[in-house]
Amino acid sequence: MRSPRPGSRPGPRHARAASPLGAALGVLLLAGTAALAANGAATAQPAPLDWIKNGDFRYPLALGWNCQGEFVQTGQTVEGRPSGTDYAGCTQSVTVVPGTRYQFSAYMSGPYTFVTISGTGTGTGEVTLWDSGPAMKSLATTLQIGDSQQVTVTFHGWYGQAPYQVSRVQMIGPMYPNECEFPTPTPGVPAPTSTKPCMPRPTTPPTGPGVPTPTPTGL
């Protein structure tokens, strides 16, 4: 039997005649707004999404996950049952935007339960949430993506250990860097002539009958 390695893995009024100063300010404001729009800066970044398919386990594991080992799915909780030769694990590939951040979280319980993202392209390339205890816990961290366009999400237990439970896995983003946060136009202040390009949102994963799609979040 292998030894567990925990580290391995938001009333109408009368109109007044416009004053010359007010009219001038209005012209400047309109000009600034038009200039920002011409640079693509007036468009707000879209809301972050949860990019893990079937991460809340509302559907059978086969929709979104590639699993090996023994599993029991009850409601929206998955119980993995490791053996002496496998750790009952499931994986999923997820598209990401290079240079952005994501909020990674999971609910888990049981001995040596791991939820990992690998291939981030920063540091060791791997970020792991893990716990060893009978109570369901919520764990979360922030992922920094390097030059990667795809990461791998995995959840599993450990060889020869008792069953573990996972009830929700989320990867919410992308959260864009500061150069994508454009200032509100200020009257009298010239609009920037150019802005740094913002990175595009990843392509929405393909869908099919019964396959869940990424859902908007309030972050």
Side-chain angles (χ1 to χ4, degrees):
M1 181 190 305
R2 306 185 189 185
S3 299
R5 296 186 296 114
S8 63
R9 298 281 209 237
R13 299 180 179 179
H14 295 290
R16 298 180 180 178
S19 67
L21 178 59
L25 290 176
V27 170
L28 286 172
L29 178 59
L30 290 173
T33 302
L36 284 172
N39 283 283
T43 302
Q45 291 298 330
L49 301 176
D50 180 5
W51 287 94
I52 295 181
K53 291 175 286 186
N54 197 21
D56 56 5
F57 308 117
R58 293 178 182 270
Y59 303 87
L61 275 174
L63 293 177
W65 298 95
N66 180 20
C67 301
Q68 292 186 335
E70 182 181 355
F71 297 88
V72 175
Q73 192 169 352
T74 305
Q76 291 177 239
T77 299
V78 172
E79 179 175 281
R81 300 178 175 179
S83 70
T85 57
D86 73 74
Y87 54 30
C90 296
T91 65
Q92 179 180 143
S93 294
V94 180
T95 301
V96 293
V97 177
T100 62
R101 294 176 294 115
Y102 292 78
Q103 184 74 15
F104 178 41
S105 63
Y107 287 80
M108 64 183 76
S109 67
Y112 299 104
T113 308
F114 300 84
V115 183
T116 299
I117 287 186
S118 57
T120 64
T122 59
T124 63
E126 183 174 287
V127 176
T128 299
L129 303 174
W130 78 276
D131 189 55
S132 183
M136 187 70 74
K137 291 185 179 179
S138 173
L139 302 176
T141 190
T142 299
L143 300 173
Q144 178 64 52
I145 305 299
D147 57 359
S148 297
Q149 295 184 5
Q150 195 169 66
V151 296
T152 299
V153 182
T154 306
F155 66 85
H156 62 85
W158 201 256
Y159 299 94
Q161 301 296 313
Y164 69 91
Q165 296 78 38
V166 177
S167 68
R168 185 165 66 193
V169 182
Q170 291 183 308
M171 196 181 89
I172 296 174
M175 290 167 272
Y176 290 83
N178 290 336
E179 57 260 33
C180 291
E181 299 174 1
F182 301 106
T184 302
T186 302
V189 177
T193 56
S194 64
T195 60
K196 295 182 180 180
C198 287
M199 287 164 283
R201 175 169 297 286
T203 302
T204 302
T207 61
V211 178
T213 58
T215 54
T217 72
L219 295 184

